[in-house]
Amino acid sequence: MTRRLLLISLCLGLAACDSSDTAALPLNLYECDAGEAALRHLITKLPDLNPGVAKSYAIVLGEINRDGMTPATDVFTGRFADLKLKFINAQNLKDIDPDHTIVDAETRLAAFVLQLRKLQSTSATTWDAEVGWSYKKEFGRLKLRIEVKDGKASVVSETTEAGN
């Protein structure tokens, strides 16, 4: 059984590396070096809203819709520990009235929701990504081009898609 799971995992990994694949990756494969590079870039672009007020950050994968959102795993979120920001699991977010502000359930302070909306391999060393953020009623969205050089994924271009 273990061998079968390993074989399936390897096949999925190889399929994700296929340069002819033009579809977005399954959400469970977003938690990779390219996904991390996209989110780190997004974090550097966040505006300084409510200066001096403590904030929490939550990472979600894929689309956010009426059915909810897919939180990143704690292992993936742990990759950002060096940033010294308070990351929480998106499952610990709460919607509070009257204006439906998304908050950290523990502190009841507004949280930045960081979204890795789409991740697509375009070749063996390049990726296209769509990322977004929201904080209270503010939001922004970027399209990114990510390239792997010398084993390190980094953003090589960005286009602002939306925001206020």
Side-chain angles (χ1 to χ4, degrees):
M1 186 64 168
T2 304
R3 287 184 191 168
R4 181 175 285 156
L5 288 174
L6 179 61
L7 181 60
I8 292 170
S9 296
L10 288 172
C11 289
L12 286 174
L14 288 174
C17 293
D18 181 9
S19 63
S20 65
D21 184 14
T22 58
L25 295 174
L27 293 182
N28 63 334
L29 297 179
Y30 279 29
E31 297 184 346
C32 62
D33 292 343
E36 179 182 350
L39 288 167
R40 284 182 178 274
H41 183 79
L42 176 65
I43 290 167
T44 67
K45 299 296 181 174
L46 294 176
D48 188 16
L49 302 173
N50 285 346
V53 175
K55 295 172 187 71
S56 298
Y57 301 80
I59 299 172
V60 297
L61 308 173
E63 292 296 334
I64 299 172
N65 54 41
R66 291 179 191 250
D67 296 331
M69 55 188 149
T70 303
T73 64
D74 292 335
V75 172
F76 184 65
T77 302
R79 290 176 151 197
F80 300 90
D82 63 300
L83 299 177
K84 307 290 189 234
L85 300 172
K86 182 183 180 195
F87 280 91
I88 61 169
N89 191 299
Q91 291 177 334
N92 298 325
L93 295 173
K94 184 176 180 172
D95 179 340
I96 60 170
D97 290 325
D99 58 354
H100 299 288
T101 300
I102 303 298
V103 301
D104 177 342
E106 181 182 303
T107 64
R108 297 191 56 83
L109 292 173
F112 268 101
V113 177
L114 309 175
Q115 178 187 24
L116 181 51
R117 186 169 182 231
K118 183 178 178 185
L119 186 63
Q120 179 178 350
S121 175
T122 55
S123 77
T125 60
T126 58
W127 303 80
D128 285 338
E130 292 180 22
V131 294
W133 63 270
S134 66
Y135 180 82
K136 294 184 178 182
K137 300 293 180 199
E138 305 289 324
F139 69 95
R141 223 184 245 176
L142 301 171
K143 280 191 174 184
L144 306 173
R145 182 78 155 159
I146 301 164
E147 196 171 284
V148 177
K149 283 188 180 176
D150 301 324
K152 183 173 175 11
S154 59
V155 174
V156 294
S157 69
E158 80 173 57
T159 306
T160 302
E161 285 295 301
N164 52 357

